[in-house]
Amino acid sequence: MNISFLSLHDVTAKYKEEIHETVLRVVDSGWYLQGKENEQFEKHYAEYIGSKHCIGCANGLDALIWIFRAYIELGVMKPGDEVIVPANTYIATILAITENGLVPVLVEPRKDTLQIDDSLIEERITERTKAICIVHLYGRNACTNHILDLCNKYNLKLVEDNAQAHGCRFNGKRTGSLGSAAGHSFYPGKNLGALGDGGAVTTDDDELAATIRALANYGSQKKYVFKYTGRNSRLDEIQAAVLDVKLRHLDKDLKARQAIADYYYDHIDNPLITLPKRLHHENNVYHLFPILVGGERLEARGERRDELQKYLEENGVGTVIHYPIAPHKQECYVHEVWNTPQLSLPITEMLADCELSLPISPTMTMDEAAEVVRLINEWTV
């Protein structure tokens, strides 16, 4: 049995008739940018997330960049200000901060949730701190009541990186509507994925939304009039239309992912494997299903993880490592002032050495999940 990590062909094929009809409609319309397809998707996605505004843009990284850039344009932040951010994240989160001349303050995650440890945040807040950026990594909610309290106490913006958690909830609200603004990615492999790159910002802030929309359109709020030095970062009509189709089916697809995750949690039984803390379904939409191989119990933890990955590959199961090099260990950040001398973040570094993501998707079958579990449970070192 061959089990791919994620078959984008199969995911798209689930709704191919609707997608084909939609793409053809856009092609025949003769309008390919900033038209009714964007208006419709932005309206529907804002309603889904529970935010007042949705602004489509080119990709998820741009979405985060525009949030921080807009706050700088509005005088809320300035270069040199600090943003608290989880150390365990995809590098895009931190790139958006440094792109704007802001200083990332990296905070370790908890070992059990893999999300930012909110008990460590307050001690890192200074007079230069202007925001906390949380990342709903792997599809797991990262927000806590304590984080919300800290934002209120210190008058900080709460920025959400919701690139991996479309449809997740916290306290009855969807992630992407919990804070001041949120960046979303529609990269094809996401739970809500386009047929190419795409992203969006959601917010309730009218002024912020207008600024972001202008920044992503060359800095223009009126044709040929440029208030800001912006860029071209727009969601095209075909991607918006495809996303609108997929959005209608998103909750059903999330339930399929959660069913596979339940099977993994109920049946994986190997002392060399540690599973993250199990969350209620509303708090985890399982963009990824991460496991930790060996962990701190083994010296050569990276080698053990790689051995399991090779074993699964040899038996027809695809896996991916998220992410093998922590952001503060990347060459591009080695000489930054905030990382000199290089930060010591042992939990983040352990996760980089031990994490392995198992197959999970809305097209995966229970027979495939059972085969993955059988292979894992039979694996020994």
Side-chain angles (χ1 to χ4, degrees):
M1 182 182 293
N2 287 318
I3 305 169
S4 65
F5 178 73
L6 175 67
S7 171
L8 292 178
H9 175 274
D10 291 349
V11 169
T12 303
K14 284 189 72 176
Y15 311 115
K16 71 176 183 179
E17 290 184 6
E18 291 177 76
I19 290 172
H20 287 179
E21 291 175 5
T22 295
V23 171
L24 184 61
R25 183 185 74 239
V26 177
V27 170
D28 288 345
S29 75
W31 195 289
Y32 308 124
L33 279 171
Q34 294 183 302
K36 66 179 183 179
E37 302 295 346
N38 261 270
E39 291 177 8
Q40 179 169 279
F41 173 67
E42 288 179 349
K43 177 179 181 294
H44 291 164
Y45 193 63
E47 291 172 349
Y48 180 83
I49 292 296
S51 61
K52 187 175 179 181
H53 300 282
C54 171
I55 306 99
C57 60
N59 52 68
L61 173 57
D62 276 7
L64 291 171
I65 287 174
W66 298 136
I67 291 170
F68 291 114
R69 170 71 184 280
Y71 278 131
I72 290 173
E73 294 288 353
L74 293 171
V76 176
M77 300 179 190
K78 62 182 183 302
D81 284 341
E82 296 173 348
V83 178
I84 290 174
V85 63
N88 177 42
T89 184
Y90 183 55
I91 198 170
T93 318
I94 299 171
L95 287 172
I97 296 169
T98 58
E99 171 80 6
N100 284 288
L102 301 168
V103 179
V105 178
L106 276 58
V107 173
E108 286 268 61
R110 284 175 44 171
K111 296 177 186 177
D112 59 343
T113 67
L114 313 185
Q115 306 295 332
I116 191 168
D117 188 338
D118 62 1
S119 71
L120 303 178
I121 293 176
E122 189 164 19
E123 65 190 42
R124 305 305 304 279
I125 295 174
T126 72
E127 61 182 14
R128 293 196 300 168
T129 306
K130 293 297 185 291
I132 298 174
C133 181
I134 57 174
V135 184
H136 305 294
L137 201 65
Y138 315 117
R140 300 170 64 89
N141 165 62
C143 194
T144 67
N145 288 323
H146 185 50
I147 290 174
L148 295 175
D149 290 342
L150 288 174
C151 289
N152 289 329
K153 180 178 178 180
Y154 292 99
N155 191 30
L156 304 177
K157 299 297 183 183
L158 178 61
V159 176
E160 298 175 75
D161 182 340
N162 201 50
Q164 299 186 4
H166 321 94
C168 189
R169 293 180 183 270
F170 174 68
N171 286 350
K173 298 176 64 176
R174 292 199 195 273
T175 55
S177 69
L178 305 177
S180 311
H184 308 255
S185 169
F186 305 124
Y187 181 79
K190 305 297 188 187
N191 290 13
L192 180 62
L195 300 185
D197 272 325
V201 174
T202 54
T203 182
D204 288 339
D205 187 325
D206 295 344
E207 189 176 24
L208 185 73
T211 305
I212 289 171
R213 193 174 294 280
L215 285 167
N217 186 37
Y218 297 97
S220 173
Q221 292 176 313
K222 180 181 178 182
K223 193 169 185 178
Y224 301 134
V225 178
F226 302 93
K227 184 175 181 178
Y228 311 106
T229 53
R231 293 185 193 169
N232 176 10
S233 177
R234 298 176 298 204
L235 184 66
D236 71 65
E237 289 286 276
I238 288 179
Q239 301 305 338
V242 169
L243 287 166
D244 206 46
V245 169
K246 288 189 165 186
L247 180 60
R248 295 198 291 268
H249 301 285
L250 179 57
D251 286 345
K252 178 174 63 177
D253 285 347
L254 297 183
K255 288 180 181 178
R257 288 176 176 272
Q258 289 165 339
I260 297 295
D262 283 342
Y263 190 88
Y264 283 157
Y265 270 110
D266 291 341
H267 295 91
I268 290 177
D269 184 16
N270 185 320
L272 296 171
I273 304 299
T274 301
L275 302 183
K277 180 181 179 181
R278 193 171 187 172
L279 304 178
H280 295 296
H281 277 176
E282 69 249 31
N283 304 133
N284 196 345
V285 292
Y286 296 102
H287 170 58
L288 301 171
F289 192 94
I291 63 173
L292 303 181
V293 185
E296 294 173 312
R297 292 170 295 179
L298 297 172
E299 286 186 14
R301 57 199 187 193
E303 293 179 16
R304 301 299 182 242
R305 186 263 312 281
D306 295 346
E307 287 171 9
L308 175 58
Q309 184 177 44
K310 182 180 179 182
Y311 160 79
L312 290 173
E313 182 181 2
E314 289 172 346
N315 284 277
V317 176
T319 60
V320 175
I321 298 168
H322 295 92
Y323 300 94
I325 305 174
H328 69 286
K329 292 280 192 177
Q330 296 287 355
E331 185 176 354
C332 62
Y333 285 137
V334 165
H335 301 297
E336 295 295 315
V337 172
W338 53 266
N339 196 25
T340 305
Q342 189 169 84
L343 295 169
S344 174
L345 299 165
I347 298 175
T348 297
E349 292 157 20
M350 180 272 289
L351 295 178
D353 286 343
C354 298
E355 194 278 343
L356 187 67
S357 295
L358 302 182
I360 191 166
S361 80
T363 60
M364 190 175 182
T365 68
M366 283 300 172
D367 286 343
E368 290 173 329
E371 176 66 4
V372 173
V373 168
R374 182 187 70 79
L375 290 167
I376 288 175
N377 289 346
E378 291 179 0
W379 179 66
T380 58
V381 177

